[in-house]
Amino acid sequence: MKVLVATEKPFAAVAVEGIRKEIEGAGYTLDLLEKYTDKAQLLAAVADADALIVRSDKVDAEVLDAARQLKIVVRAGAGYDNIDLAAATAHNVCVENTPGQNSNAVAELVFGMTVMAVRNMYNGTSGTELKGKRLGIHAFGQVGRNVARIAKGFGMELSALDPYCPDAAIEEAGVRPVHSVEDLYRDNEFVSLHIPATAETRGSVGYDLITLMPKGGVLINTARKEVIDEDGLTRALEARPDIKYVADVRPDCADALMERFPGRVFFTPKKMGAQTAEANINAGIAAARQIVAFLRDGIDRFRVNKA
Ligand code: 3PG
C-alpha cells in the first residue's frame, strides 16, 4: 500500500518524519510530493496511491479520476472545502479531516494579528489595548474555543455566535452566547471569523455587518477568504475610516485594499495559521494514524463525506 503526502505548502520536516514513522511502521510505503507548482505533478503522483494526505491542496474530480487505487484522502487540518466530497463518494473514496489538531496555532495567530492591528501595524504611533475590550467569536468550533481561552488571558469580554453549538457549551467556556449575527457585529469592537466556507457562508460577511461594528472595529479573518463579500468589505472600509481588517487569507482584492487603505489592512502572503511545527506534527501524524486505522481496521471515525 502506498500513502502519498501531497503538500503544495509543505509540513515542517519534523512532522514529515513523524508521518513516515506511522506509515512505515504499519508496513506501508510513503511518497512525498512537496511544493508542487503544477497540477500535472499531482495527477502523476496520485496514480498509484492507495491513500492521500493533503493540506489545502485541491482534490477535485480530475485528481480522483487519476487516482485509480485511492481509498482514502485525509485533509490534515480542519476545513475540507478544497475537496470535492460528492466526487469522492462517487469514486468510493473516504474523506476525513483531523479536527482540532491545528486549532491552537490558528488561534494564536488571531492574537498575533489583533495586537498588530491595535498597535497600528507597529508603526511607532500610540495604539490601544485589548484588556477590557469586547471580542465576538463568529463560530464556536475548535478554533473559536481556543480563541476564547487565549482572549481570557488578555482580559477581554467574550461573546460567540454559533447556531450549531448549544448555548450551554458556549457558557461553559465562560463566553456569552448571542443569537443574531447583527448583534455579534454591533456589540463587539473585535470580531474573529471561524466559519467554514460553505454554500451558506460564502460572501456572508460584507458591508451591512462590518459597518455595524462599534468605533475602532477590527475584523480578524483566519477562516477562509470566500466568506467575505470583498466588494462589501471595500465599501465598508471606505465608509468607516476607523475600521481595520486583518486576514490570514489574502483576499482577491488584496493589492487594491493595501493601496487604498494603508495601515488599516494586513494580509499574510500565504495562509499560515496552521504553519507551526506543533500544528504540522499534530495534524500530520493524526492524518497518518487515521489512514492506518482505515486501511488496516476499516475505522472511519472522522469521515466527512457520504459513504
Ligand atoms: C485548516 O482548515 O485546517 C487551516 O485553514 C489550515 O490550512 P493549511 O493546512 O492549508 O495551512
Side-chain angles (χ1 to χ4, degrees):
M1 293 269 193
K2 191 174 116 176
V3 180
L4 172 69
V5 175
T7 47
E8 180 271 322
K9 185 175 61 184
F11 289 118
V14 59
V16 176
E17 278 326 296
I19 294 170
R20 185 180 297 285
K21 235 169 129 183
E22 296 293 332
I23 298 300
E24 292 180 351
Y28 306 143
T29 310
L30 184 82
D31 248 25
L32 205 53
L33 174 69
E34 291 183 323
K35 292 189 193 172
Y36 58 94
T37 48
D38 198 349
K39 191 178 184 183
Q41 294 170 272
L42 177 60
L43 295 176
V46 293
D48 60 348
D50 297 280
L52 174 63
I53 296 176
V54 292
R55 294 184 64 177
S56 289
D57 309 79
K58 240 191 166 46
V59 180
D60 58 15
E62 196 186 355
V63 174
L64 291 159
D65 278 343
R68 291 204 197 89
Q69 286 178 212
L70 195 66
K71 296 155 189 70
I72 178 168
V73 44
V74 180
R75 190 280 191 247
Y80 43 85
D81 46 306
N82 52 317
I83 299 174
D84 186 334
L85 298 187
T89 299
H91 284 78
N92 202 20
V93 170
C94 171
V95 181
E96 299 188 2
N97 66 347
T98 64
Q101 300 291 349
N102 59 17
S103 48
N104 179 65
V106 179
E108 288 190 11
L109 187 67
V110 168
F111 292 93
M113 294 198 300
T114 305
V115 171
M116 185 172 69
V118 294
R119 297 302 182 102
N120 302 324
M121 311 300 176
Y122 306 131
N123 72 357
T125 63
S126 210
T128 55
E129 299 179 20
L130 301 186
K131 189 177 175 189
K133 303 285 175 13
R134 289 161 296 167
L135 169 66
I137 303 171
H138 194 163
F140 206 64
Q142 305 262 13
V143 182
R145 282 157 212 254
N146 277 283
V147 166
R149 174 180 53 77
I150 299 168
K152 281 185 212 156
F154 278 99
M156 302 185 87
E157 280 177 36
L158 303 174
S159 53
L161 171 80
D162 194 330
Y164 301 99
C165 181
D167 281 3
I170 296 176
E171 280 161 359
E172 207 176 298
V175 178
R176 183 174 65 91
V178 297
H179 303 104
S180 103
V181 69
E182 287 79 15
D183 285 349
L184 188 81
Y185 283 74
R186 194 183 294 114
D187 294 348
N188 290 289
E189 293 110 337
F190 298 87
V191 173
S192 189
L193 281 167
H194 302 293
I195 45 179
T198 63
E200 184 193 349
T201 64
R202 268 173 231 271
S204 65
V205 178
Y207 182 88
D208 291 347
L209 286 179
I210 298 168
T211 52
L212 281 179
M213 293 183 78
K215 194 167 166 37
V218 179
L219 179 63
I220 307 113
N221 184 5
T222 54
R224 290 289 183 272
K225 70 173 181 180
E226 289 82 2
V227 304
I228 297 282
D229 162 15
E230 294 195 7
D231 176 56
L233 167 70
T234 306
R235 287 187 292 118
L237 289 167
E238 184 74 57
R240 288 280 306 276
D242 57 305
I243 283 181
K244 290 179 181 159
Y245 178 63
V246 289
D248 182 32
V249 276
R250 246 180 102 78
D252 294 333
C253 63
D255 291 341
L257 292 182
M258 288 188 291
E259 199 184 311
R260 287 181 67 183
F261 310 111
R264 294 173 52 206
V265 294
F266 170 80
F267 312 118
T268 51
K270 210 168 222 199
K271 186 155 62 111
M272 56 178 295
Q275 265 313 48
T276 66
E278 293 89 339
N280 289 174
I281 291 167
N282 292 343
I285 292 178
R289 287 186 180 154
Q290 287 171 218
I291 282 174
V292 173
F294 182 81
L295 294 178
R296 201 180 50 198
D297 306 317
I299 294 169
D300 63 353
R301 181 171 159 217
F302 295 100
R303 184 172 194 133
V304 293
N305 67 326
K306 290 199 184 90

PDB file of all heavy atoms in Angstrom, residues 123-152:
ATOM      1  N   ASN A 123       3.809  50.724  13.759  1.00  0.00           N
ATOM      2  CA  ASN A 123       4.427  51.854  13.044  1.00  0.00           C
ATOM      3  C   ASN A 123       5.019  52.909  13.989  1.00  0.00           C
ATOM      4  O   ASN A 123       5.434  53.978  13.553  1.00  0.00           O
ATOM      5  CB  ASN A 123       3.420  52.499  12.070  1.00  0.00           C
ATOM      6  CG  ASN A 123       2.326  53.281  12.797  1.00  0.00           C
ATOM      7  OD1 ASN A 123       2.279  53.298  14.039  1.00  0.00           O
ATOM      8  ND2 ASN A 123       1.465  53.911  12.043  1.00  0.00           N
ATOM      9  N   GLY A 124       4.997  52.606  15.288  1.00  0.00           N
ATOM     10  CA  GLY A 124       5.629  53.521  16.240  1.00  0.00           C
ATOM     11  C   GLY A 124       4.671  54.513  16.879  1.00  0.00           C
ATOM     12  O   GLY A 124       5.038  55.194  17.833  1.00  0.00           O
ATOM     13  N   THR A 125       3.425  54.578  16.398  1.00  0.00           N
ATOM     14  CA  THR A 125       2.462  55.514  16.991  1.00  0.00           C
ATOM     15  C   THR A 125       1.726  54.851  18.151  1.00  0.00           C
ATOM     16  O   THR A 125       1.796  53.630  18.334  1.00  0.00           O
ATOM     17  CB  THR A 125       1.430  55.982  15.943  1.00  0.00           C
ATOM     18  OG1 THR A 125       0.690  54.844  15.508  1.00  0.00           O
ATOM     19  CG2 THR A 125       2.096  56.664  14.759  1.00  0.00           C
ATOM     20  N   SER A 126       0.997  55.657  18.912  1.00  0.00           N
ATOM     21  CA  SER A 126       0.283  55.157  20.076  1.00  0.00           C
ATOM     22  C   SER A 126      -0.944  54.355  19.641  1.00  0.00           C
ATOM     23  O   SER A 126      -1.730  54.826  18.806  1.00  0.00           O
ATOM     24  CB  SER A 126      -0.153  56.358  20.916  1.00  0.00           C
ATOM     25  OG  SER A 126      -0.210  55.995  22.246  1.00  0.00           O
ATOM     26  N   GLY A 127      -1.088  53.168  20.218  1.00  0.00           N
ATOM     27  CA  GLY A 127      -2.221  52.321  19.846  1.00  0.00           C
ATOM     28  C   GLY A 127      -3.191  52.148  20.993  1.00  0.00           C
ATOM     29  O   GLY A 127      -3.339  53.053  21.824  1.00  0.00           O
ATOM     30  N   THR A 128      -3.871  51.012  21.024  1.00  0.00           N
ATOM     31  CA  THR A 128      -4.787  50.712  22.126  1.00  0.00           C
ATOM     32  C   THR A 128      -4.501  49.297  22.628  1.00  0.00           C
ATOM     33  O   THR A 128      -3.687  48.579  22.052  1.00  0.00           O
ATOM     34  CB  THR A 128      -6.268  50.804  21.668  1.00  0.00           C
ATOM     35  OG1 THR A 128      -6.448  49.948  20.546  1.00  0.00           O
ATOM     36  CG2 THR A 128      -6.648  52.235  21.303  1.00  0.00           C
ATOM     37  N   GLU A 129      -5.226  48.924  23.719  1.00  0.00           N
ATOM     38  CA  GLU A 129      -5.003  47.613  24.334  1.00  0.00           C
ATOM     39  C   GLU A 129      -6.229  46.714  24.160  1.00  0.00           C
ATOM     40  O   GLU A 129      -7.311  47.203  23.831  1.00  0.00           O
ATOM     41  CB  GLU A 129      -4.680  47.812  25.817  1.00  0.00           C
ATOM     42  CG  GLU A 129      -3.424  48.637  25.990  1.00  0.00           C
ATOM     43  CD  GLU A 129      -3.045  48.892  27.450  1.00  0.00           C
ATOM     44  OE1 GLU A 129      -3.518  48.145  28.325  1.00  0.00           O
ATOM     45  OE2 GLU A 129      -2.263  49.826  27.682  1.00  0.00           O
ATOM     46  N   LEU A 130      -6.050  45.455  24.418  1.00  0.00           N
ATOM     47  CA  LEU A 130      -7.160  44.507  24.276  1.00  0.00           C
ATOM     48  C   LEU A 130      -7.921  44.336  25.598  1.00  0.00           C
ATOM     49  O   LEU A 130      -9.100  43.977  25.591  1.00  0.00           O
ATOM     50  CB  LEU A 130      -6.643  43.143  23.816  1.00  0.00           C
ATOM     51  CG  LEU A 130      -5.892  43.117  22.479  1.00  0.00           C
ATOM     52  CD1 LEU A 130      -5.560  41.682  22.089  1.00  0.00           C
ATOM     53  CD2 LEU A 130      -6.716  43.773  21.379  1.00  0.00           C
ATOM     54  N   LYS A 131      -7.255  44.591  26.702  1.00  0.00           N
ATOM     55  CA  LYS A 131      -7.853  44.386  28.020  1.00  0.00           C
ATOM     56  C   LYS A 131      -9.157  45.181  28.161  1.00  0.00           C
ATOM     57  O   LYS A 131      -9.198  46.374  27.855  1.00  0.00           O
ATOM     58  CB  LYS A 131      -6.859  44.841  29.085  1.00  0.00           C
ATOM     59  CG  LYS A 131      -7.265  44.487  30.498  1.00  0.00           C
ATOM     60  CD  LYS A 131      -6.175  44.915  31.452  1.00  0.00           C
ATOM     61  CE  LYS A 131      -6.623  44.680  32.876  1.00  0.00           C
ATOM     62  NZ  LYS A 131      -5.689  45.269  33.817  1.00  0.00           N
ATOM     63  N   GLY A 132     -10.208  44.483  28.590  1.00  0.00           N
ATOM     64  CA  GLY A 132     -11.495  45.143  28.807  1.00  0.00           C
ATOM     65  C   GLY A 132     -12.313  45.348  27.534  1.00  0.00           C
ATOM     66  O   GLY A 132     -13.450  45.815  27.605  1.00  0.00           O
ATOM     67  N   LYS A 133     -11.770  44.992  26.392  1.00  0.00           N
ATOM     68  CA  LYS A 133     -12.494  45.177  25.130  1.00  0.00           C
ATOM     69  C   LYS A 133     -13.360  43.935  24.836  1.00  0.00           C
ATOM     70  O   LYS A 133     -13.127  42.860  25.388  1.00  0.00           O
ATOM     71  CB  LYS A 133     -11.519  45.420  23.973  1.00  0.00           C
ATOM     72  CG  LYS A 133     -10.588  46.601  24.178  1.00  0.00           C
ATOM     73  CD  LYS A 133     -11.306  47.903  23.986  1.00  0.00           C
ATOM     74  CE  LYS A 133     -10.488  49.142  24.295  1.00  0.00           C
ATOM     75  NZ  LYS A 133      -9.082  49.089  24.462  1.00  0.00           N
ATOM     76  N   ARG A 134     -14.312  44.123  23.935  1.00  0.00           N
ATOM     77  CA  ARG A 134     -15.252  43.045  23.627  1.00  0.00           C
ATOM     78  C   ARG A 134     -14.853  42.317  22.337  1.00  0.00           C
ATOM     79  O   ARG A 134     -14.616  42.966  21.322  1.00  0.00           O
ATOM     80  CB  ARG A 134     -16.673  43.612  23.484  1.00  0.00           C
ATOM     81  CG  ARG A 134     -17.267  44.070  24.813  1.00  0.00           C
ATOM     82  CD  ARG A 134     -18.424  45.020  24.577  1.00  0.00           C
ATOM     83  NE  ARG A 134     -17.952  46.233  23.922  1.00  0.00           N
ATOM     84  CZ  ARG A 134     -18.724  47.138  23.359  1.00  0.00           C
ATOM     85  NH1 ARG A 134     -20.026  46.972  23.335  1.00  0.00           N
ATOM     86  NH2 ARG A 134     -18.222  48.217  22.797  1.00  0.00           N
ATOM     87  N   LEU A 135     -14.827  41.008  22.435  1.00  0.00           N
ATOM     88  CA  LEU A 135     -14.478  40.176  21.275  1.00  0.00           C
ATOM     89  C   LEU A 135     -15.638  39.246  20.943  1.00  0.00           C
ATOM     90  O   LEU A 135     -16.105  38.496  21.807  1.00  0.00           O
ATOM     91  CB  LEU A 135     -13.227  39.339  21.588  1.00  0.00           C
ATOM     92  CG  LEU A 135     -12.872  38.231  20.585  1.00  0.00           C
ATOM     93  CD1 LEU A 135     -12.467  38.807  19.232  1.00  0.00           C
ATOM     94  CD2 LEU A 135     -11.736  37.353  21.118  1.00  0.00           C
ATOM     95  N   GLY A 136     -16.100  39.310  19.715  1.00  0.00           N
ATOM     96  CA  GLY A 136     -17.150  38.402  19.252  1.00  0.00           C
ATOM     97  C   GLY A 136     -16.526  37.278  18.439  1.00  0.00           C
ATOM     98  O   GLY A 136     -15.735  37.525  17.524  1.00  0.00           O
ATOM     99  N   ILE A 137     -16.866  36.059  18.796  1.00  0.00           N
ATOM    100  CA  ILE A 137     -16.294  34.901  18.115  1.00  0.00           C
ATOM    101  C   ILE A 137     -17.366  34.353  17.171  1.00  0.00           C
ATOM    102  O   ILE A 137     -18.417  33.888  17.612  1.00  0.00           O
ATOM    103  CB  ILE A 137     -15.840  33.845  19.149  1.00  0.00           C
ATOM    104  CG1 ILE A 137     -14.827  34.488  20.119  1.00  0.00           C
ATOM    105  CG2 ILE A 137     -15.236  32.630  18.461  1.00  0.00           C
ATOM    106  CD1 ILE A 137     -14.470  33.615  21.308  1.00  0.00           C
ATOM    107  N   HIS A 138     -17.076  34.468  15.875  1.00  0.00           N
ATOM    108  CA  HIS A 138     -18.079  34.082  14.876  1.00  0.00           C
ATOM    109  C   HIS A 138     -17.865  32.625  14.490  1.00  0.00           C
ATOM    110  O   HIS A 138     -17.086  32.324  13.611  1.00  0.00           O
ATOM    111  CB  HIS A 138     -17.969  35.014  13.655  1.00  0.00           C
ATOM    112  CG  HIS A 138     -19.138  34.937  12.732  1.00  0.00           C
ATOM    113  ND1 HIS A 138     -19.412  35.877  11.789  1.00  0.00           N
ATOM    114  CD2 HIS A 138     -20.122  34.006  12.612  1.00  0.00           C
ATOM    115  CE1 HIS A 138     -20.507  35.544  11.131  1.00  0.00           C
ATOM    116  NE2 HIS A 138     -20.938  34.411  11.598  1.00  0.00           N
ATOM    117  N   ALA A 139     -18.511  31.761  15.213  1.00  0.00           N
ATOM    118  CA  ALA A 139     -18.490  30.291  15.149  1.00  0.00           C
ATOM    119  C   ALA A 139     -17.594  29.739  16.255  1.00  0.00           C
ATOM    120  O   ALA A 139     -16.418  30.093  16.369  1.00  0.00           O
ATOM    121  CB  ALA A 139     -18.070  29.737  13.801  1.00  0.00           C
ATOM    122  N   PHE A 140     -18.212  28.867  17.053  1.00  0.00           N
ATOM    123  CA  PHE A 140     -17.545  28.386  18.264  1.00  0.00           C
ATOM    124  C   PHE A 140     -17.127  26.929  18.117  1.00  0.00           C
ATOM    125  O   PHE A 140     -17.497  26.063  18.887  1.00  0.00           O
ATOM    126  CB  PHE A 140     -18.490  28.569  19.460  1.00  0.00           C
ATOM    127  CG  PHE A 140     -17.758  28.701  20.768  1.00  0.00           C
ATOM    128  CD1 PHE A 140     -16.912  29.767  21.007  1.00  0.00           C
ATOM    129  CD2 PHE A 140     -17.921  27.749  21.760  1.00  0.00           C
ATOM    130  CE1 PHE A 140     -16.231  29.879  22.203  1.00  0.00           C
ATOM    131  CE2 PHE A 140     -17.243  27.854  22.965  1.00  0.00           C
ATOM    132  CZ  PHE A 140     -16.399  28.919  23.189  1.00  0.00           C
ATOM    133  N   GLY A 141     -16.310  26.689  17.112  1.00  0.00           N
ATOM    134  CA  GLY A 141     -15.731  25.347  16.941  1.00  0.00           C
ATOM    135  C   GLY A 141     -14.411  25.277  17.696  1.00  0.00           C
ATOM    136  O   GLY A 141     -14.177  26.002  18.662  1.00  0.00           O
ATOM    137  N   GLN A 142     -13.529  24.406  17.210  1.00  0.00           N
ATOM    138  CA  GLN A 142     -12.267  24.179  17.935  1.00  0.00           C
ATOM    139  C   GLN A 142     -11.385  25.420  17.957  1.00  0.00           C
ATOM    140  O   GLN A 142     -10.763  25.722  18.969  1.00  0.00           O
ATOM    141  CB  GLN A 142     -11.498  23.035  17.270  1.00  0.00           C
ATOM    142  CG  GLN A 142     -12.303  21.763  17.145  1.00  0.00           C
ATOM    143  CD  GLN A 142     -12.013  20.782  18.254  1.00  0.00           C
ATOM    144  OE1 GLN A 142     -11.399  21.124  19.253  1.00  0.00           O
ATOM    145  NE2 GLN A 142     -12.447  19.567  18.093  1.00  0.00           N
ATOM    146  N   VAL A 143     -11.334  26.161  16.846  1.00  0.00           N
ATOM    147  CA  VAL A 143     -10.510  27.370  16.835  1.00  0.00           C
ATOM    148  C   VAL A 143     -11.163  28.425  17.725  1.00  0.00           C
ATOM    149  O   VAL A 143     -10.497  29.069  18.548  1.00  0.00           O
ATOM    150  CB  VAL A 143     -10.280  27.911  15.407  1.00  0.00           C
ATOM    151  CG1 VAL A 143      -9.382  29.135  15.455  1.00  0.00           C
ATOM    152  CG2 VAL A 143      -9.672  26.856  14.508  1.00  0.00           C
ATOM    153  N   GLY A 144     -12.477  28.590  17.585  1.00  0.00           N
ATOM    154  CA  GLY A 144     -13.201  29.567  18.404  1.00  0.00           C
ATOM    155  C   GLY A 144     -12.975  29.342  19.896  1.00  0.00           C
ATOM    156  O   GLY A 144     -12.796  30.293  20.664  1.00  0.00           O
ATOM    157  N   ARG A 145     -12.966  28.086  20.303  1.00  0.00           N
ATOM    158  CA  ARG A 145     -12.764  27.775  21.726  1.00  0.00           C
ATOM    159  C   ARG A 145     -11.352  28.151  22.181  1.00  0.00           C
ATOM    160  O   ARG A 145     -11.148  28.648  23.294  1.00  0.00           O
ATOM    161  CB  ARG A 145     -12.951  26.271  21.981  1.00  0.00           C
ATOM    162  CG  ARG A 145     -14.390  25.872  22.032  1.00  0.00           C
ATOM    163  CD  ARG A 145     -14.559  24.392  21.728  1.00  0.00           C
ATOM    164  NE  ARG A 145     -15.833  24.211  21.069  1.00  0.00           N
ATOM    165  CZ  ARG A 145     -16.895  23.688  21.651  1.00  0.00           C
ATOM    166  NH1 ARG A 145     -16.820  23.242  22.882  1.00  0.00           N
ATOM    167  NH2 ARG A 145     -18.033  23.585  21.008  1.00  0.00           N
ATOM    168  N   ASN A 146     -10.377  27.895  21.325  1.00  0.00           N
ATOM    169  CA  ASN A 146      -9.002  28.290  21.667  1.00  0.00           C
ATOM    170  C   ASN A 146      -8.852  29.798  21.692  1.00  0.00           C
ATOM    171  O   ASN A 146      -8.122  30.337  22.525  1.00  0.00           O
ATOM    172  CB  ASN A 146      -8.017  27.665  20.677  1.00  0.00           C
ATOM    173  CG  ASN A 146      -7.664  26.235  21.054  1.00  0.00           C
ATOM    174  OD1 ASN A 146      -6.880  26.001  21.965  1.00  0.00           O
ATOM    175  ND2 ASN A 146      -8.281  25.271  20.398  1.00  0.00           N
ATOM    176  N   VAL A 147      -9.547  30.481  20.793  1.00  0.00           N
ATOM    177  CA  VAL A 147      -9.531  31.948  20.799  1.00  0.00           C
ATOM    178  C   VAL A 147     -10.094  32.448  22.132  1.00  0.00           C
ATOM    179  O   VAL A 147      -9.529  33.343  22.769  1.00  0.00           O
ATOM    180  CB  VAL A 147     -10.340  32.509  19.602  1.00  0.00           C
ATOM    181  CG1 VAL A 147     -10.633  33.993  19.778  1.00  0.00           C
ATOM    182  CG2 VAL A 147      -9.568  32.275  18.301  1.00  0.00           C
ATOM    183  N   ALA A 148     -11.182  31.849  22.591  1.00  0.00           N
ATOM    184  CA  ALA A 148     -11.801  32.251  23.861  1.00  0.00           C
ATOM    185  C   ALA A 148     -10.817  32.055  25.026  1.00  0.00           C
ATOM    186  O   ALA A 148     -10.649  32.932  25.883  1.00  0.00           O
ATOM    187  CB  ALA A 148     -13.071  31.453  24.103  1.00  0.00           C
ATOM    188  N   ARG A 149     -10.160  30.911  25.021  1.00  0.00           N
ATOM    189  CA  ARG A 149      -9.198  30.604  26.097  1.00  0.00           C
ATOM    190  C   ARG A 149      -8.090  31.659  26.158  1.00  0.00           C
ATOM    191  O   ARG A 149      -7.766  32.182  27.217  1.00  0.00           O
ATOM    192  CB  ARG A 149      -8.596  29.205  25.869  1.00  0.00           C
ATOM    193  CG  ARG A 149      -7.479  28.832  26.826  1.00  0.00           C
ATOM    194  CD  ARG A 149      -6.928  27.436  26.533  1.00  0.00           C
ATOM    195  NE  ARG A 149      -6.527  27.217  25.153  1.00  0.00           N
ATOM    196  CZ  ARG A 149      -5.391  27.670  24.618  1.00  0.00           C
ATOM    197  NH1 ARG A 149      -4.536  28.366  25.357  1.00  0.00           N
ATOM    198  NH2 ARG A 149      -5.101  27.420  23.348  1.00  0.00           N
ATOM    199  N   ILE A 150      -7.550  31.999  25.013  1.00  0.00           N
ATOM    200  CA  ILE A 150      -6.441  32.960  24.983  1.00  0.00           C
ATOM    201  C   ILE A 150      -6.955  34.371  25.302  1.00  0.00           C
ATOM    202  O   ILE A 150      -6.296  35.134  26.017  1.00  0.00           O
ATOM    203  CB  ILE A 150      -5.735  32.917  23.606  1.00  0.00           C
ATOM    204  CG1 ILE A 150      -5.147  31.522  23.353  1.00  0.00           C
ATOM    205  CG2 ILE A 150      -4.631  33.975  23.537  1.00  0.00           C
ATOM    206  CD1 ILE A 150      -4.674  31.272  21.925  1.00  0.00           C
ATOM    207  N   ALA A 151      -8.142  34.704  24.782  1.00  0.00           N
ATOM    208  CA  ALA A 151      -8.701  36.054  24.998  1.00  0.00           C
ATOM    209  C   ALA A 151      -8.911  36.341  26.479  1.00  0.00           C
ATOM    210  O   ALA A 151      -8.782  37.492  26.926  1.00  0.00           O
ATOM    211  CB  ALA A 151     -10.020  36.194  24.240  1.00  0.00           C
ATOM    212  N   LYS A 152      -9.213  35.305  27.237  1.00  0.00           N
ATOM    213  CA  LYS A 152      -9.396  35.490  28.686  1.00  0.00           C
ATOM    214  C   LYS A 152      -8.106  35.986  29.315  1.00  0.00           C
ATOM    215  O   LYS A 152      -8.127  36.805  30.233  1.00  0.00           O
ATOM    216  CB  LYS A 152      -9.835  34.182  29.329  1.00  0.00           C
ATOM    217  CG  LYS A 152     -11.314  33.935  29.121  1.00  0.00           C
ATOM    218  CD  LYS A 152     -11.737  32.705  29.883  1.00  0.00           C
ATOM    219  CE  LYS A 152     -12.855  32.038  29.127  1.00  0.00           C
ATOM    220  NZ  LYS A 152     -12.970  30.625  29.416  1.00  0.00           N
TER     221      LYS A 152
END
